Amino acid sequence: MEMVADLGASRLYRAPGESSHQQPQRWFNTADITVAHQSSLLKQLNQQRRQELFCDCSVLVEGQLFRAHRNVLFASSGYFRMLLSQGPDGLSDSVNATFDTFSPETFIVILDFIYSGQLDLSSHNVIEVMSAASYLQMNNVINYCKNFIKSSLDISVKDEDSDRCISLSETCSFNSGVVDETSEQQQQQQQQGPSSVSPPPALWTRDNSRSQCGFMGKDPDQESSSSALKTSPSSPADDLKAEADDLQDPQDPLYTLPGSERRRGKGGTKRRASNRSNQPEDLDIEEARTQKAEKAEELYATLPPILGVIGHFNRDSNPIMRFKCPFCTHTVKRKADLKRHLRCHTGERPYPCQACNKRFTRLEHLRSHFETIHQARKLVCRKCKCQVTDETGHVVCEGTRRYRMCTACIQEVDCDEIPMDSLDSASEEPALLLGVDGEEEGDSKRSWMVADDDDDDDNDDLAEDSGADLIIQQVDDSDEELQ
DNA sequence: CTGGGGATGGGGCCC
DNA sequence: CGGGCCCCATCCCCA
């Protein structure tokens, strides 16, 4: 274990009997003493665990029994903190916990980390360890796994700086515990190295106040849990959000951060459209977009075939199978729901609106957006909120936005100031062109039309002046299929 | 400053 | 398993 003592924060004491003018002076660094003490204490506890001395807690993982000390588990894991402090077993002499969400091998890695500060990560176990750490609410382990994955993903763009990379194929070991802060700084430096392709976070804004998924921030323990081992001040939710942010590019429409559109302001889409006219920037954006897409694909590729099946039990003691998100504590009943949920971590927005270039994670959101914003489907006067029909009102255009106004309200406002919809009514079908491989183009309710992603330049024209005959582009996301 | 409404995003679940 | 609907939470804008 290597420790770089922070002399700025530690105190120095002169040895007894030595005056200030005596040379050479001997100084005792309290930081060194602390580290040595913590290290030996941890070793001692680990020995006790291996000899099953004073173990007062049993953990059953897929049938395999592990003995440990409840105070150590309490200090290291938010999950155990909850279990031991609130559970009915908390006051009893023997505490038992059963897990089916991860393998005994994974728990060994976790347990070894708790008792030694050594985290043995490899490309084969990193996802499961991260998943288990997420379940056990161990922020620091999540951070290490995150950095491990991130480092692995950075390989392609850091070939020229290969000595700073951690190969996916090689097993690495992270130090933690008392040296956590130092290693974190080192990792931070590694990430912020000159070869990094990520833009400085300060250069682009993001809406941190808005939770990306509903459960985030709802778990008070997850937010408040801080391991007894030195952990980063950020919550796992923040970390994951940051991770998702790292996979996103402010100029990357495919990976638009949720909420960032609004932060960008009303001129956001226009600015982006104008940027597209600049050819070099066009290439940069396209390049960044490709890189991010590859990163997301690699991220997906690292996921295990089964993301997690949790053994919750219903009233009849039958297990309820659930799929666990590898990036957070969220679980879902269906794999398809998990796939949908993963988009809030990867930042994928495969459904762009061709009218305003805004992208959505779901087709239904795109459709809802299109119908309300660009099609004026709501039969309500925007001004007086009264019900309007095609006879009692008209569709009004405002840029790419369309809404209805009743005849009275239109007359109140100067008619010259209101650009009337050339098609007059959104009832004229169908303004929205949808389609899957062009097969359903003749659909009476809606016709879909496929447009290549490369047609963005054409989209810009649409974004500028179209409002009616819009093409909703559906990007093939089959690549993100979880195997 | 505040409350209401619109827009957006995410989860559950039915078909 | 995907599509779609419903519901709810959150944020932002505006009166």
Side-chain angles (χ1 to χ4, degrees), chain A residues 104-386:
Chain A
E105 292 76 23
T106 301
F107 189 68
I108 288 174
V109 173
I110 297 279
L111 205 55
D112 282 344
F113 170 79
I114 289 174
Y115 275 91
S116 69
Q118 299 286 323
L119 187 62
D120 287 326
L121 288 180
S122 72
S123 59
H124 301 104
N125 71 0
V126 62
I127 292 295
E128 202 180 351
V129 169
M130 188 168 168
S131 177
S134 171
Y135 191 90
L136 296 172
Q137 297 170 36
M138 299 174 68
N139 306 358
N140 41 3
V141 177
I142 293 172
N143 279 334
Y144 291 129
C145 293
K146 199 176 67 183
N147 287 329
F148 182 90
I149 294 171
K150 199 181 289 180
S151 301
S152 304
L153 292 180
D154 281 347
I155 287 174
S156 58
V157 291
K158 289 185 177 178
D159 276 345
E160 70 277 14
D161 202 9
S162 58
D163 55 336
R164 310 178 76 159
C165 295
I166 302 170
S167 170
L168 248 185
S169 58
E170 63 191 6
T171 300
C172 75
S173 176
F174 288 101
N175 282 325
S176 183
V178 290
V179 293
D180 201 355
E181 200 168 356
T182 306
S183 59
E184 272 192 7
Q185 286 169 354
Q186 288 168 349
Q187 287 162 23
Q188 211 168 3
Q189 287 168 4
Q190 180 177 327
Q191 287 160 22
Q192 294 172 349
S195 62
S196 173
V197 293
S198 303
L203 290 180
W204 40 294
T205 59
R206 57 176 71 125
D207 191 350
N208 278 331
S209 59
R210 187 185 178 105
S211 64
Q212 289 198 16
C213 34
F215 53 87
M216 280 187 176
K218 284 181 181 174
D219 183 357
D221 187 73
Q222 190 174 4
E223 283 210 317
S224 63
S225 66
S226 59
S227 172
L229 299 173
K230 182 81 175 173
T231 58
S232 99
S234 60
S235 68
D238 290 339
D239 296 338
L240 292 166
K241 190 193 290 282
E243 179 185 12
D245 291 353
D246 288 341
L247 286 168
Q248 297 168 349
D249 190 300
Q251 292 180 304
D252 185 350
L254 186 56
Y255 291 90
T256 306
L257 191 78
S260 58
E261 289 282 347
R262 269 176 259 162
R263 181 69 65 90
R264 220 178 265 133
K266 288 179 180 176
T269 51
K270 289 230 172 190
R271 204 181 326 150
R272 183 162 50 196
S274 64
N275 281 347
R276 286 230 177 91
S277 62
N278 190 328
Q279 286 297 331
E281 286 187 26
D282 241 7
L283 291 174
D284 288 345
I285 293 171
E286 196 59 37
E287 198 173 322
R289 189 165 154 177
T290 308
Q291 279 184 5
K292 297 295 176 185
E294 286 171 358
K295 276 193 180 184
E297 282 174 19
E298 285 186 67
L299 195 60
Y300 278 127
T302 61
L303 298 178
I306 298 173
L307 293 163
V309 183
I310 299 178
H312 288 299
F313 293 89
N314 60 17
R315 288 176 184 175
D316 301 327
S317 296
N318 295 323
I320 301 172
M321 309 296 271
R322 292 183 74 89
F323 295 92
K324 186 181 178 308
C325 173
F327 302 111
C328 69
T329 58
H330 183 60
T331 61
V332 293
K333 281 184 181 176
R334 300 194 318 148
K335 204 174 172 182
D337 285 338
L338 179 60
K339 182 184 174 183
R340 186 178 71 176
H341 164 80
L342 282 173
R343 285 200 181 127
C344 78
H345 293 302
T346 63
E348 272 182 301
R349 289 169 177 272
Y351 303 105
C353 173
Q354 293 231 336
C356 63
N357 281 333
K358 187 171 171 58
R359 285 179 175 265
F360 297 86
T361 56
R362 295 193 212 167
L363 184 60
E364 63 203 88
H365 289 162
L366 167 60
R367 186 176 294 124
S368 170
H369 157 84
F370 189 84
E371 288 181 357
T372 54
I373 302 299
H374 305 302
Q375 267 197 324
R377 287 278 172 144
K378 283 187 178 176
L379 300 175
V380 175
C381 173
R382 185 177 172 87
K383 193 158 182 276
C384 66
K385 311 294 181 190
C386 69

Side-chain angles (χ1 to χ4, degrees), chain A residues 48-60:
Chain A
Q48 289 179 15
R49 170 178 71 105
R50 293 182 185 283
Q51 295 165 5
E52 297 199 358
L53 270 177
F54 309 119
C55 289
D56 51 3
C57 183
S58 297
V59 180
L60 196 62

Side-chain angles (χ1 to χ4, degrees), chain A residues 364-421:
Chain A
E364 63 203 88
H365 289 162
L366 167 60
R367 186 176 294 124
S368 170
H369 157 84
F370 189 84
E371 288 181 357
T372 54
I373 302 299
H374 305 302
Q375 267 197 324
R377 287 278 172 144
K378 283 187 178 176
L379 300 175
V380 175
C381 173
R382 185 177 172 87
K383 193 158 182 276
C384 66
K385 311 294 181 190
C386 69
Q387 295 284 327
V388 294
T389 63
D390 292 338
E391 287 76 31
T392 62
H394 293 282
V395 175
V396 175
C397 287
E398 190 181 308
T400 60
R401 293 179 71 103
R402 295 169 131 209
Y403 49 84
R404 289 175 187 268
M405 285 179 77
C406 63
T407 316
C409 288
I410 290 175
Q411 285 173 350
E412 270 187 38
V413 189
D414 189 356
C415 290
D416 296 337
E417 291 179 4
I418 303 177
M420 304 299 290
D421 191 345

